[in-house]
Amino acid sequence: MMMASSNAFSSSDPLTIGRVIGDVVDDFTETVKMTVTYNNKHVYNGYEFFPSSVSTKPRVHIHGGDLRSSFTLIMTDPDVPGPSDPYLREHLHWMVTDIPGTTDATFGKEVIKYEMPKPNIGIHRFVLVLYKQKRRQTVNKIPSSRDLFNTRKFAVENDLGTPVAAVFFNAQRETACRKR
């Protein structure tokens, strides 16, 4: 991954090329390392997964936090109903808050249960964004709906600041001939 010396994302970064920066979050400086795995398959920016291979929630490890740190993880699909006209942007797939800084998301508070990706039209991006909370239990405004979610607005309403890490993968509808 090519990064500018300040750790801000360059125009050749996958989050910029994949329009995650712009469509979901504003430009930010990555300050924490986050690894996401589905069934021992590592998620790299822009890689494609079959929806059937991401049917259960992933393991999310946070590297660079400490015992006093707490994080919020958000997973959305900004391409609903389809990437050419995403007028329902964003659909909330998962939210975990109060994740201790030295563990993984399974130790946090799952406030929105994991919903597997089910894209109908085109190739969808599924974005996982990590925020460092200013304190535990800082997230009070839990969304009442998964539809028309806005990651930026949610971060502002809950005083989360800018993201500290993000990763995205692609998925599209599985047809009988595409399944392996």
Side-chain angles (χ1 to χ4, degrees):
M1 174 171 17
M2 195 171 144
M3 300 272 264
S5 59
S6 67
N7 277 350
F9 295 98
S10 69
S11 61
S12 62
D13 182 85
L15 291 174
T16 304
I17 294 167
R19 296 184 337 274
V20 169
I21 292 173
D23 288 352
V24 180
V25 295
D26 294 323
D27 197 12
F28 68 96
T29 299
E30 187 175 56
T31 57
V32 171
K33 181 113 174 81
M34 173 176 66
T35 56
V36 179
T37 54
Y38 281 97
N39 304 313
N40 296 320
K41 289 189 175 128
H42 194 86
V43 174
Y44 295 100
N45 284 320
Y47 279 38
E48 185 168 344
F49 285 85
F50 289 115
S52 60
S53 68
V54 293
S55 61
T56 58
K57 63 185 165 190
R59 289 196 58 95
V60 178
H61 291 276
I62 300 164
H63 314 274
D66 58 39
L67 290 170
R68 295 179 308 277
S69 305
S70 293
F71 295 89
T72 293
L73 176 72
I74 297 169
M75 178 178 165
T76 69
D77 175 354
D79 298 319
V80 179
S84 62
D85 186 17
Y87 64 89
L88 295 175
R89 175 179 294 165
E90 302 163 47
H91 183 80
L92 180 60
H93 279 269
W94 193 31
M95 183 182 293
V96 184
T97 65
D98 297 326
I99 304 165
T102 57
T103 60
D104 63 53
T106 57
F107 292 96
K109 179 180 169 192
E110 190 177 52
V111 293
I112 301 291
K113 295 226 174 287
Y114 182 80
E115 178 183 271
M116 78 174 272
K118 293 181 263 191
N120 285 325
I121 307 163
I123 299 171
H124 288 235
R125 296 166 293 164
F126 293 89
V127 182
L128 291 104
V129 182
L130 188 70
Y131 291 91
K132 184 173 183 182
Q133 296 172 201
K134 293 191 166 82
R135 62 196 171 285
R136 285 186 67 70
Q137 299 173 336
T138 198
V139 177
N140 298 316
K141 295 176 176 72
I142 304 301
S144 56
S145 170
R146 291 178 184 265
D147 296 322
L148 298 171
F149 180 77
N150 185 304
T151 300
R152 282 185 190 91
K153 185 177 171 201
F154 179 82
V156 168
E157 288 172 349
N158 288 281
D159 195 25
L160 293 173
T162 58
V164 294
V167 68
F168 80 101
F169 65 90
N170 296 317
Q172 61 184 307
R173 184 178 183 166
E174 287 179 60
T175 59
C177 63
R178 283 190 73 233
K179 284 188 181 180
R180 293 183 221 170

